[in-house]
């Protein structure tokens, strides 16, 4: 058995919108060889299409890969997105997770998450997709910006686009032995380079002691 991704649409009065998908919901199963498909975040495009980010994995935890799905306004898969409505293995790394996404003014899709390295540390990833689901290779290095501070835990949490098209990404970075992560904010230019006019070379850090958060 497996666990599917479930997407529901509610009317303004809180009742299920039965015109969406099948009786108001859409079920998307994980790919072959995976046990569940988990949705982390959903955002609506101005045209009513929904973009869902998350990951699919095995119960054993041996395989986990980022996934992005785009649905039409009626709940059907948008076949103009990666020719299937779904893109799997988004970061190209095992142990990966997509935590958040932003629909950009250009129509592109910015993603943030992280993946497990060869040891116990994780690397933060910010990635940009074109409207058709392909990688926007003009962003960062081959479509990705990666941050790793050599600590045991680096997690990408959230991302938002400013009116000037710069991206602000929030992350948690925890040293080995620390009980709480430090909050890091990164501001990127539209091309994925760090905005050196902001913070310390585009990065700010806030340290929390146990009990503060």
């Amino acid at each position: 058995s497996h666990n599917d991704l479930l997407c529901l649409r509610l009317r303004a009065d809180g009742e299920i919108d039965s015109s969406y998908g099948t009786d108001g919901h859409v079920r998307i199963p994980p790919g072959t060889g995976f046990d569940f498909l988990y949705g982390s975040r959903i955002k609506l495009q101005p045209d009513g299409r929904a973009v869902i980010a998350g990951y699919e994995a095995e119960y054993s935890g041996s395989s986990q890969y980022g996934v992005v799905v785009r649905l039409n306004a009626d709940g059907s898969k948008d076949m103009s997105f990666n020719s299937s409505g779904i893109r799997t293995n988004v970061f190209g790394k095992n142990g990966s997770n997509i935590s958040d996404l932003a629909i950009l003014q250009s129509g592109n899709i910015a993603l943030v998450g992280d993946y497990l390295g060869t040891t116990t540390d994780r690397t933060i990833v910010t990635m940009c997709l074109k409207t058709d689901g392909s990688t926007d290779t003009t962003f960062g290095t081959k479509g990705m910006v990666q941050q790793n501070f050599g600590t045991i835990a680096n997690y990408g949490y959230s991302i938002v686009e400013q009116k000037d098209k710069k991206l602000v990404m929030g992350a948690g970075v925890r040293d080995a032995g620390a009980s709480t992560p430090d909050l890091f904010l990164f501001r990127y230019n539209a091309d994925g380079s760090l905005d050196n006019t902001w913070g310390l070379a585009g990065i700010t850090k806030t340290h929390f002691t146990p009990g503060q958060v």
Side-chain angles (χ1 to χ4, degrees), residues 24-56:
H25 68 272
V26 177
R27 297 180 69 100
I28 303 172
T32 302
F34 294 95
D35 296 307
F36 65 90
L37 178 56
Y38 175 80
S40 303
R41 190 73 71 219
I42 184 170
K43 296 285 179 70
L44 286 179
Q45 297 185 169
D47 60 8
R49 288 182 290 183
V51 182
I52 307 167
Y55 63 88
E56 58 184 359

PDB file of all heavy atoms in Angstrom, residues 24-56:
ATOM      1  N   GLY A  24     -14.386  17.067  -5.406  1.00  0.00           N
ATOM      2  CA  GLY A  24     -13.727  18.106  -4.622  1.00  0.00           C
ATOM      3  C   GLY A  24     -12.292  17.837  -4.246  1.00  0.00           C
ATOM      4  O   GLY A  24     -11.674  18.655  -3.562  1.00  0.00           O
ATOM      5  N   HIS A  25     -11.750  16.704  -4.660  1.00  0.00           N
ATOM      6  CA  HIS A  25     -10.379  16.418  -4.287  1.00  0.00           C
ATOM      7  C   HIS A  25      -9.609  15.772  -5.438  1.00  0.00           C
ATOM      8  O   HIS A  25     -10.193  15.220  -6.374  1.00  0.00           O
ATOM      9  CB  HIS A  25     -10.328  15.512  -3.054  1.00  0.00           C
ATOM     10  CG  HIS A  25     -10.819  14.118  -3.293  1.00  0.00           C
ATOM     11  ND1 HIS A  25     -12.139  13.765  -3.167  1.00  0.00           N
ATOM     12  CD2 HIS A  25     -10.146  12.996  -3.665  1.00  0.00           C
ATOM     13  CE1 HIS A  25     -12.277  12.485  -3.430  1.00  0.00           C
ATOM     14  NE2 HIS A  25     -11.085  11.989  -3.746  1.00  0.00           N
ATOM     15  N   VAL A  26      -8.280  15.846  -5.330  1.00  0.00           N
ATOM     16  CA  VAL A  26      -7.379  15.222  -6.304  1.00  0.00           C
ATOM     17  C   VAL A  26      -6.402  14.351  -5.522  1.00  0.00           C
ATOM     18  O   VAL A  26      -5.803  14.798  -4.542  1.00  0.00           O
ATOM     19  CB  VAL A  26      -6.597  16.285  -7.107  1.00  0.00           C
ATOM     20  CG1 VAL A  26      -5.603  15.620  -8.054  1.00  0.00           C
ATOM     21  CG2 VAL A  26      -7.551  17.192  -7.874  1.00  0.00           C
ATOM     22  N   ARG A  27      -6.239  13.114  -5.968  1.00  0.00           N
ATOM     23  CA  ARG A  27      -5.271  12.197  -5.368  1.00  0.00           C
ATOM     24  C   ARG A  27      -4.147  11.939  -6.365  1.00  0.00           C
ATOM     25  O   ARG A  27      -4.411  11.611  -7.526  1.00  0.00           O
ATOM     26  CB  ARG A  27      -5.918  10.864  -4.984  1.00  0.00           C
ATOM     27  CG  ARG A  27      -7.011  10.980  -3.931  1.00  0.00           C
ATOM     28  CD  ARG A  27      -7.592   9.609  -3.626  1.00  0.00           C
ATOM     29  NE  ARG A  27      -6.626   8.776  -2.918  1.00  0.00           N
ATOM     30  CZ  ARG A  27      -6.645   8.594  -1.602  1.00  0.00           C
ATOM     31  NH1 ARG A  27      -7.577   9.190  -0.850  1.00  0.00           N
ATOM     32  NH2 ARG A  27      -5.757   7.823  -1.020  1.00  0.00           N
ATOM     33  N   ILE A  28      -2.915  12.083  -5.896  1.00  0.00           N
ATOM     34  CA  ILE A  28      -1.761  11.841  -6.753  1.00  0.00           C
ATOM     35  C   ILE A  28      -0.880  10.798  -6.066  1.00  0.00           C
ATOM     36  O   ILE A  28      -0.335  11.051  -4.986  1.00  0.00           O
ATOM     37  CB  ILE A  28      -0.963  13.136  -6.999  1.00  0.00           C
ATOM     38  CG1 ILE A  28      -1.872  14.206  -7.606  1.00  0.00           C
ATOM     39  CG2 ILE A  28       0.238  12.869  -7.912  1.00  0.00           C
ATOM     40  CD1 ILE A  28      -1.236  15.563  -7.706  1.00  0.00           C
ATOM     41  N   PRO A  29      -0.717   9.634  -6.660  1.00  0.00           N
ATOM     42  CA  PRO A  29       0.085   8.586  -6.023  1.00  0.00           C
ATOM     43  C   PRO A  29       1.579   8.848  -6.191  1.00  0.00           C
ATOM     44  O   PRO A  29       1.993   9.576  -7.098  1.00  0.00           O
ATOM     45  CB  PRO A  29      -0.341   7.324  -6.778  1.00  0.00           C
ATOM     46  CG  PRO A  29      -0.697   7.827  -8.146  1.00  0.00           C
ATOM     47  CD  PRO A  29      -1.322   9.179  -7.921  1.00  0.00           C
ATOM     48  N   PRO A  30       2.396   8.268  -5.324  1.00  0.00           N
ATOM     49  CA  PRO A  30       3.842   8.385  -5.502  1.00  0.00           C
ATOM     50  C   PRO A  30       4.288   7.601  -6.728  1.00  0.00           C
ATOM     51  O   PRO A  30       3.553   6.748  -7.244  1.00  0.00           O
ATOM     52  CB  PRO A  30       4.403   7.780  -4.213  1.00  0.00           C
ATOM     53  CG  PRO A  30       3.349   6.829  -3.757  1.00  0.00           C
ATOM     54  CD  PRO A  30       2.043   7.451  -4.156  1.00  0.00           C
ATOM     55  N   GLY A  31       5.504   7.883  -7.181  1.00  0.00           N
ATOM     56  CA  GLY A  31       6.032   7.174  -8.328  1.00  0.00           C
ATOM     57  C   GLY A  31       6.388   5.735  -8.003  1.00  0.00           C
ATOM     58  O   GLY A  31       6.391   5.308  -6.836  1.00  0.00           O
ATOM     59  N   THR A  32       6.680   4.969  -9.032  1.00  0.00           N
ATOM     60  CA  THR A  32       7.040   3.563  -8.869  1.00  0.00           C
ATOM     61  C   THR A  32       8.244   3.418  -7.939  1.00  0.00           C
ATOM     62  O   THR A  32       9.251   4.111  -8.091  1.00  0.00           O
ATOM     63  CB  THR A  32       7.381   2.945 -10.235  1.00  0.00           C
ATOM     64  OG1 THR A  32       6.257   3.089 -11.106  1.00  0.00           O
ATOM     65  CG2 THR A  32       7.722   1.468 -10.084  1.00  0.00           C
ATOM     66  N   GLY A  33       8.133   2.531  -6.966  1.00  0.00           N
ATOM     67  CA  GLY A  33       9.220   2.285  -6.027  1.00  0.00           C
ATOM     68  C   GLY A  33       9.160   3.128  -4.771  1.00  0.00           C
ATOM     69  O   GLY A  33       9.966   2.926  -3.846  1.00  0.00           O
ATOM     70  N   PHE A  34       8.193   4.066  -4.709  1.00  0.00           N
ATOM     71  CA  PHE A  34       8.057   4.922  -3.528  1.00  0.00           C
ATOM     72  C   PHE A  34       6.769   4.575  -2.782  1.00  0.00           C
ATOM     73  O   PHE A  34       5.801   4.094  -3.370  1.00  0.00           O
ATOM     74  CB  PHE A  34       8.054   6.395  -3.925  1.00  0.00           C
ATOM     75  CG  PHE A  34       9.365   6.863  -4.490  1.00  0.00           C
ATOM     76  CD1 PHE A  34       9.570   6.891  -5.864  1.00  0.00           C
ATOM     77  CD2 PHE A  34      10.396   7.253  -3.657  1.00  0.00           C
ATOM     78  CE1 PHE A  34      10.786   7.310  -6.390  1.00  0.00           C
ATOM     79  CE2 PHE A  34      11.613   7.670  -4.170  1.00  0.00           C
ATOM     80  CZ  PHE A  34      11.813   7.699  -5.542  1.00  0.00           C
ATOM     81  N   ASP A  35       6.776   4.872  -1.478  1.00  0.00           N
ATOM     82  CA  ASP A  35       5.642   4.499  -0.632  1.00  0.00           C
ATOM     83  C   ASP A  35       4.688   5.640  -0.334  1.00  0.00           C
ATOM     84  O   ASP A  35       3.523   5.404  -0.031  1.00  0.00           O
ATOM     85  CB  ASP A  35       6.157   3.926   0.695  1.00  0.00           C
ATOM     86  CG  ASP A  35       6.937   2.638   0.495  1.00  0.00           C
ATOM     87  OD1 ASP A  35       6.408   1.728  -0.146  1.00  0.00           O
ATOM     88  OD2 ASP A  35       8.087   2.558   0.980  1.00  0.00           O
ATOM     89  N   PHE A  36       5.181   6.884  -0.371  1.00  0.00           N
ATOM     90  CA  PHE A  36       4.274   8.000  -0.129  1.00  0.00           C
ATOM     91  C   PHE A  36       4.748   9.266  -0.827  1.00  0.00           C
ATOM     92  O   PHE A  36       5.929   9.432  -1.120  1.00  0.00           O
ATOM     93  CB  PHE A  36       4.082   8.254   1.372  1.00  0.00           C
ATOM     94  CG  PHE A  36       5.317   8.713   2.107  1.00  0.00           C
ATOM     95  CD1 PHE A  36       5.628  10.058   2.227  1.00  0.00           C
ATOM     96  CD2 PHE A  36       6.163   7.793   2.701  1.00  0.00           C
ATOM     97  CE1 PHE A  36       6.749  10.481   2.916  1.00  0.00           C
ATOM     98  CE2 PHE A  36       7.284   8.200   3.400  1.00  0.00           C
ATOM     99  CZ  PHE A  36       7.582   9.549   3.507  1.00  0.00           C
ATOM    100  N   LEU A  37       3.787  10.119  -1.115  1.00  0.00           N
ATOM    101  CA  LEU A  37       4.031  11.427  -1.717  1.00  0.00           C
ATOM    102  C   LEU A  37       3.483  12.473  -0.760  1.00  0.00           C
ATOM    103  O   LEU A  37       2.292  12.474  -0.444  1.00  0.00           O
ATOM    104  CB  LEU A  37       3.353  11.531  -3.080  1.00  0.00           C
ATOM    105  CG  LEU A  37       3.458  12.860  -3.828  1.00  0.00           C
ATOM    106  CD1 LEU A  37       4.908  13.274  -4.020  1.00  0.00           C
ATOM    107  CD2 LEU A  37       2.761  12.760  -5.182  1.00  0.00           C
ATOM    108  N   TYR A  38       4.366  13.329  -0.272  1.00  0.00           N
ATOM    109  CA  TYR A  38       4.020  14.300   0.772  1.00  0.00           C
ATOM    110  C   TYR A  38       4.054  15.716   0.203  1.00  0.00           C
ATOM    111  O   TYR A  38       5.015  16.099  -0.474  1.00  0.00           O
ATOM    112  CB  TYR A  38       5.023  14.169   1.922  1.00  0.00           C
ATOM    113  CG  TYR A  38       4.854  15.188   3.027  1.00  0.00           C
ATOM    114  CD1 TYR A  38       3.878  15.022   4.005  1.00  0.00           C
ATOM    115  CD2 TYR A  38       5.671  16.305   3.091  1.00  0.00           C
ATOM    116  CE1 TYR A  38       3.725  15.952   5.021  1.00  0.00           C
ATOM    117  CE2 TYR A  38       5.528  17.240   4.101  1.00  0.00           C
ATOM    118  CZ  TYR A  38       4.556  17.056   5.064  1.00  0.00           C
ATOM    119  OH  TYR A  38       4.410  17.982   6.061  1.00  0.00           O
ATOM    120  N   GLY A  39       3.020  16.487   0.470  1.00  0.00           N
ATOM    121  CA  GLY A  39       2.965  17.880   0.034  1.00  0.00           C
ATOM    122  C   GLY A  39       3.368  18.824   1.150  1.00  0.00           C
ATOM    123  O   GLY A  39       2.808  18.780   2.246  1.00  0.00           O
ATOM    124  N   SER A  40       4.363  19.678   0.888  1.00  0.00           N
ATOM    125  CA  SER A  40       4.840  20.640   1.880  1.00  0.00           C
ATOM    126  C   SER A  40       4.176  21.999   1.737  1.00  0.00           C
ATOM    127  O   SER A  40       3.895  22.675   2.724  1.00  0.00           O
ATOM    128  CB  SER A  40       6.362  20.831   1.762  1.00  0.00           C
ATOM    129  OG  SER A  40       7.052  19.623   1.896  1.00  0.00           O
ATOM    130  N   ARG A  41       3.942  22.424   0.496  1.00  0.00           N
ATOM    131  CA  ARG A  41       3.444  23.781   0.258  1.00  0.00           C
ATOM    132  C   ARG A  41       2.636  23.822  -1.031  1.00  0.00           C
ATOM    133  O   ARG A  41       2.916  23.085  -1.975  1.00  0.00           O
ATOM    134  CB  ARG A  41       4.610  24.756   0.147  1.00  0.00           C
ATOM    135  CG  ARG A  41       4.193  26.223   0.133  1.00  0.00           C
ATOM    136  CD  ARG A  41       3.750  26.695   1.506  1.00  0.00           C
ATOM    137  NE  ARG A  41       4.880  26.788   2.400  1.00  0.00           N
ATOM    138  CZ  ARG A  41       4.852  26.438   3.685  1.00  0.00           C
ATOM    139  NH1 ARG A  41       3.746  25.934   4.202  1.00  0.00           N
ATOM    140  NH2 ARG A  41       5.917  26.567   4.449  1.00  0.00           N
ATOM    141  N   ILE A  42       1.614  24.673  -1.061  1.00  0.00           N
ATOM    142  CA  ILE A  42       0.822  24.889  -2.264  1.00  0.00           C
ATOM    143  C   ILE A  42       0.657  26.390  -2.479  1.00  0.00           C
ATOM    144  O   ILE A  42       0.422  27.129  -1.524  1.00  0.00           O
ATOM    145  CB  ILE A  42      -0.554  24.177  -2.173  1.00  0.00           C
ATOM    146  CG1 ILE A  42      -1.343  24.333  -3.471  1.00  0.00           C
ATOM    147  CG2 ILE A  42      -1.349  24.675  -0.976  1.00  0.00           C
ATOM    148  CD1 ILE A  42      -2.591  23.463  -3.521  1.00  0.00           C
ATOM    149  N   LYS A  43       0.807  26.819  -3.720  1.00  0.00           N
ATOM    150  CA  LYS A  43       0.616  28.225  -4.082  1.00  0.00           C
ATOM    151  C   LYS A  43      -0.207  28.303  -5.365  1.00  0.00           C
ATOM    152  O   LYS A  43      -0.073  27.451  -6.256  1.00  0.00           O
ATOM    153  CB  LYS A  43       1.963  28.918  -4.314  1.00  0.00           C
ATOM    154  CG  LYS A  43       2.870  28.993  -3.077  1.00  0.00           C
ATOM    155  CD  LYS A  43       2.405  30.027  -2.075  1.00  0.00           C
ATOM    156  CE  LYS A  43       3.298  30.066  -0.835  1.00  0.00           C
ATOM    157  NZ  LYS A  43       4.638  30.608  -1.115  1.00  0.00           N
ATOM    158  N   LEU A  44      -1.046  29.320  -5.447  1.00  0.00           N
ATOM    159  CA  LEU A  44      -1.859  29.536  -6.639  1.00  0.00           C
ATOM    160  C   LEU A  44      -1.204  30.540  -7.560  1.00  0.00           C
ATOM    161  O   LEU A  44      -0.725  31.591  -7.108  1.00  0.00           O
ATOM    162  CB  LEU A  44      -3.254  30.029  -6.262  1.00  0.00           C
ATOM    163  CG  LEU A  44      -4.230  29.030  -5.657  1.00  0.00           C
ATOM    164  CD1 LEU A  44      -5.548  29.729  -5.344  1.00  0.00           C
ATOM    165  CD2 LEU A  44      -4.463  27.855  -6.591  1.00  0.00           C
ATOM    166  N   GLN A  45      -1.202  30.220  -8.844  1.00  0.00           N
ATOM    167  CA  GLN A  45      -0.770  31.180  -9.847  1.00  0.00           C
ATOM    168  C   GLN A  45      -1.923  32.145 -10.142  1.00  0.00           C
ATOM    169  O   GLN A  45      -3.083  31.837  -9.849  1.00  0.00           O
ATOM    170  CB  GLN A  45      -0.352  30.453 -11.134  1.00  0.00           C
ATOM    171  CG  GLN A  45       0.826  29.530 -10.960  1.00  0.00           C
ATOM    172  CD  GLN A  45       1.298  28.906 -12.259  1.00  0.00           C
ATOM    173  OE1 GLN A  45       2.345  28.296 -12.310  1.00  0.00           O
ATOM    174  NE2 GLN A  45       0.521  29.069 -13.327  1.00  0.00           N
ATOM    175  N   PRO A  46      -1.625  33.307 -10.716  1.00  0.00           N
ATOM    176  CA  PRO A  46      -2.703  34.256 -11.048  1.00  0.00           C
ATOM    177  C   PRO A  46      -3.775  33.665 -11.959  1.00  0.00           C
ATOM    178  O   PRO A  46      -4.930  34.090 -11.920  1.00  0.00           O
ATOM    179  CB  PRO A  46      -1.956  35.404 -11.729  1.00  0.00           C
ATOM    180  CG  PRO A  46      -0.575  35.351 -11.159  1.00  0.00           C
ATOM    181  CD  PRO A  46      -0.298  33.884 -10.971  1.00  0.00           C
ATOM    182  N   ASP A  47      -3.420  32.653 -12.774  1.00  0.00           N
ATOM    183  CA  ASP A  47      -4.389  32.055 -13.701  1.00  0.00           C
ATOM    184  C   ASP A  47      -5.202  30.936 -13.051  1.00  0.00           C
ATOM    185  O   ASP A  47      -5.989  30.255 -13.725  1.00  0.00           O
ATOM    186  CB  ASP A  47      -3.682  31.539 -14.953  1.00  0.00           C
ATOM    187  CG  ASP A  47      -2.623  30.471 -14.652  1.00  0.00           C
ATOM    188  OD1 ASP A  47      -2.539  30.027 -13.489  1.00  0.00           O
ATOM    189  OD2 ASP A  47      -1.877  30.107 -15.574  1.00  0.00           O
ATOM    190  N   GLY A  48      -5.019  30.712 -11.739  1.00  0.00           N
ATOM    191  CA  GLY A  48      -5.802  29.721 -11.028  1.00  0.00           C
ATOM    192  C   GLY A  48      -5.175  28.344 -10.941  1.00  0.00           C
ATOM    193  O   GLY A  48      -5.696  27.474 -10.232  1.00  0.00           O
ATOM    194  N   ARG A  49      -4.071  28.124 -11.654  1.00  0.00           N
ATOM    195  CA  ARG A  49      -3.389  26.839 -11.540  1.00  0.00           C
ATOM    196  C   ARG A  49      -2.660  26.754 -10.197  1.00  0.00           C
ATOM    197  O   ARG A  49      -2.171  27.752  -9.686  1.00  0.00           O
ATOM    198  CB  ARG A  49      -2.421  26.638 -12.705  1.00  0.00           C
ATOM    199  CG  ARG A  49      -3.122  26.370 -14.030  1.00  0.00           C
ATOM    200  CD  ARG A  49      -2.148  26.117 -15.158  1.00  0.00           C
ATOM    201  NE  ARG A  49      -1.424  27.322 -15.536  1.00  0.00           N
ATOM    202  CZ  ARG A  49      -0.552  27.368 -16.547  1.00  0.00           C
ATOM    203  NH1 ARG A  49      -0.287  26.268 -17.248  1.00  0.00           N
ATOM    204  NH2 ARG A  49       0.063  28.505 -16.842  1.00  0.00           N
ATOM    205  N   ALA A  50      -2.610  25.550  -9.651  1.00  0.00           N
ATOM    206  CA  ALA A  50      -1.993  25.333  -8.338  1.00  0.00           C
ATOM    207  C   ALA A  50      -0.664  24.611  -8.496  1.00  0.00           C
ATOM    208  O   ALA A  50      -0.572  23.617  -9.222  1.00  0.00           O
ATOM    209  CB  ALA A  50      -2.921  24.514  -7.452  1.00  0.00           C
ATOM    210  N   VAL A  51       0.358  25.104  -7.802  1.00  0.00           N
ATOM    211  CA  VAL A  51       1.674  24.460  -7.788  1.00  0.00           C
ATOM    212  C   VAL A  51       1.900  23.886  -6.388  1.00  0.00           C
ATOM    213  O   VAL A  51       1.769  24.602  -5.393  1.00  0.00           O
ATOM    214  CB  VAL A  51       2.792  25.454  -8.149  1.00  0.00           C
ATOM    215  CG1 VAL A  51       4.150  24.742  -8.162  1.00  0.00           C
ATOM    216  CG2 VAL A  51       2.520  26.100  -9.504  1.00  0.00           C
ATOM    217  N   ILE A  52       2.216  22.612  -6.323  1.00  0.00           N
ATOM    218  CA  ILE A  52       2.412  21.914  -5.059  1.00  0.00           C
ATOM    219  C   ILE A  52       3.839  21.377  -5.013  1.00  0.00           C
ATOM    220  O   ILE A  52       4.308  20.765  -5.978  1.00  0.00           O
ATOM    221  CB  ILE A  52       1.432  20.731  -4.906  1.00  0.00           C
ATOM    222  CG1 ILE A  52      -0.008  21.211  -5.112  1.00  0.00           C
ATOM    223  CG2 ILE A  52       1.586  20.072  -3.540  1.00  0.00           C
ATOM    224  CD1 ILE A  52      -1.000  20.070  -5.294  1.00  0.00           C
ATOM    225  N   ALA A  53       4.519  21.610  -3.912  1.00  0.00           N
ATOM    226  CA  ALA A  53       5.883  21.112  -3.747  1.00  0.00           C
ATOM    227  C   ALA A  53       5.953  20.195  -2.542  1.00  0.00           C
ATOM    228  O   ALA A  53       5.232  20.368  -1.562  1.00  0.00           O
ATOM    229  CB  ALA A  53       6.859  22.279  -3.572  1.00  0.00           C
ATOM    230  N   GLY A  54       6.828  19.218  -2.600  1.00  0.00           N
ATOM    231  CA  GLY A  54       7.003  18.289  -1.490  1.00  0.00           C
ATOM    232  C   GLY A  54       8.058  17.258  -1.819  1.00  0.00           C
ATOM    233  O   GLY A  54       9.072  17.569  -2.436  1.00  0.00           O
ATOM    234  N   TYR A  55       7.796  16.009  -1.451  1.00  0.00           N
ATOM    235  CA  TYR A  55       8.751  14.951  -1.761  1.00  0.00           C
ATOM    236  C   TYR A  55       8.061  13.599  -1.741  1.00  0.00           C
ATOM    237  O   TYR A  55       6.992  13.424  -1.152  1.00  0.00           O
ATOM    238  CB  TYR A  55       9.921  14.961  -0.770  1.00  0.00           C
ATOM    239  CG  TYR A  55       9.548  14.686   0.671  1.00  0.00           C
ATOM    240  CD1 TYR A  55       9.487  13.380   1.167  1.00  0.00           C
ATOM    241  CD2 TYR A  55       9.261  15.727   1.547  1.00  0.00           C
ATOM    242  CE1 TYR A  55       9.147  13.127   2.491  1.00  0.00           C
ATOM    243  CE2 TYR A  55       8.920  15.477   2.875  1.00  0.00           C
ATOM    244  CZ  TYR A  55       8.874  14.178   3.337  1.00  0.00           C
ATOM    245  OH  TYR A  55       8.525  13.924   4.645  1.00  0.00           O
ATOM    246  N   GLU A  56       8.668  12.625  -2.413  1.00  0.00           N
ATOM    247  CA  GLU A  56       8.214  11.245  -2.347  1.00  0.00           C
ATOM    248  C   GLU A  56       9.339  10.406  -1.752  1.00  0.00           C
ATOM    249  O   GLU A  56      10.527  10.713  -1.937  1.00  0.00           O
ATOM    250  CB  GLU A  56       7.805  10.721  -3.724  1.00  0.00           C
ATOM    251  CG  GLU A  56       8.884  10.774  -4.779  1.00  0.00           C
ATOM    252  CD  GLU A  56       8.372  10.338  -6.152  1.00  0.00           C
ATOM    253  OE1 GLU A  56       7.185   9.986  -6.269  1.00  0.00           O
ATOM    254  OE2 GLU A  56       9.167  10.360  -7.108  1.00  0.00           O
TER     255      GLU A  56
END
